[in-house]
Amino acid sequence: MGGVYEERPSRLDGAAVWTRTGTGGPVRSFSVLPDGCMDLLWSEGRLYVAGPDTRAYVPENPGARYAGVRFAPGDAPALLGVPAHELRDARVELAALWPGDRVRRLAERVGDAADQAAALEDLALLRAADAPRPDPRLRAVVAGLNAGRTVAATAQAVGLGARQLHRRSLDAFGYGPKTLARVLRLQRALALVRAGVPYARAAAEAGCTDQAHLAREMRALGGTTLSAYAASVASAKSETPQPSGSSTTA
C-alpha cells in the first residue's frame, strides 16, 4: 500500500495542507508527479523543502509519516527566501536555507505537536506574514498558462517581455514558462483521466495535439505510461484518497 493520504485547503491563500501516513502493512512505492508547486515538509523529525519538479520523484522512505504545506505555483520562493530554480528537482533540508538552530527548534515544535500538519501550517502562516506578497502578475501567468494560452499571449497579457517573463519564471517557478505550461497541461489531462475521461478526449480537452502527444508528455514528465497511471489510480481508490500531483506504482 502507498499509505493514507489526506488533504485540505490551507488558511494560506492558494496553498493546501496534507498528510501521508503508513498503513501498518507492506508499503508500496509511489511517485510524485510535477505540478508546478513547492512544498514545505516535515517527516521523521526533519523539516525540508521539495523544490519544483520537472520529472517524477520517488520518495526514499514511502512508509514514513509526512506532513506538508503545498504552496501555489510561484508563492514559495518569497516565503523561503530562495529562488525556485536553485531548488529545482531537489529535496533540501530547511537548515540549508535558514539558520540551523532556528530550524531545529521549529522541527521540534512541529514534531511535538498533536497535529504536525496544523503546526506546519502555522509555521508557514507566520513566515508569510513577514514575506513579500505574491506577485499578482505571476499569478496571472499561472492562470493564463493553465487556461491553455500560449506563452507569448500570456506574456503580452501581463505586460512582460519574453526575456523578462523567462527570468521571473525561473525565480518563481524554477523553470521557464514553456515548461510550466507543459506541467500544468499534464496535470489538467491527468485530472480528466482520474475522472474516467478517455485518453484521447482528455488529451484534446487539456490542450495536447492528440493522445500520442499526451503519452509522450506522460513519459517525459511523469516517467510512466497513461495506462500504468490509470491502473495506479484505480488501485489507490480502493485503498485511500490520493494527492492531485501523485501516482502510486508498484
Side-chain angles (χ1 to χ4, degrees), residues 37-138:
C37 301
M38 294 172 60
D39 293 60
L40 177 63
L41 304 168
W42 175 92
S43 182
E44 306 295 316
R46 298 164 46 228
L47 286 171
Y48 57 105
V49 177
D53 291 324
T54 61
R55 55 181 180 267
Y57 172 77
V58 180
E60 295 178 359
N61 186 2
R65 173 179 173 80
Y66 294 89
V69 176
R70 186 172 63 248
F71 301 100
D75 284 4
L79 188 148
L80 296 171
V82 60
H85 65 82
E86 294 187 10
L87 305 177
R88 183 172 53 237
D89 292 319
R91 269 60 183 165
V92 178
E93 295 277 354
L94 188 60
L97 308 177
W98 296 0
D101 288 344
R102 182 186 178 200
V103 172
R104 281 191 291 273
R105 291 193 299 271
L106 292 172
E108 290 175 0
R109 184 187 307 170
V110 173
D112 291 341
D115 184 337
Q116 280 82 30
L120 197 63
E121 181 185 26
D122 288 341
L123 190 165
L125 285 164
L126 285 172
R127 180 74 178 187
D130 295 327
R133 299 291 299 169
D135 187 337
R137 285 200 290 184
L138 291 175

Side-chain angles (χ1 to χ4, degrees), residues 9 23 46 53 75 77 135 150 159 161 189 192 205 208 211 221 226:
T23 60
R46 298 164 46 228
D53 291 324
D75 284 4
D135 187 337
T150 65
L192 293 168
E205 292 188 10
C208 294
Q211 182 176 328
L221 296 171
L226 288 168

Side-chain angles (χ1 to χ4, degrees), residues 5 11 18 30 86 94 99 101-102 115 117 176 179 220 238:
Y5 179 90
R11 290 172 285 155
W18 59 269
F30 62 93
E86 294 187 10
L94 188 60
D101 288 344
R102 182 186 178 200
D115 184 337
T179 298
S238 68

Side-chain angles (χ1 to χ4, degrees), residues 194-222:
R194 291 195 298 274
V197 175
Y199 300 154
R201 179 181 156 197
E205 292 188 10
C208 294
T209 305
D210 51 25
Q211 182 176 328
H213 180 198
L214 174 57
R216 290 194 300 271
E217 291 291 83
M218 189 65 187
R219 278 286 194 186
L221 296 171

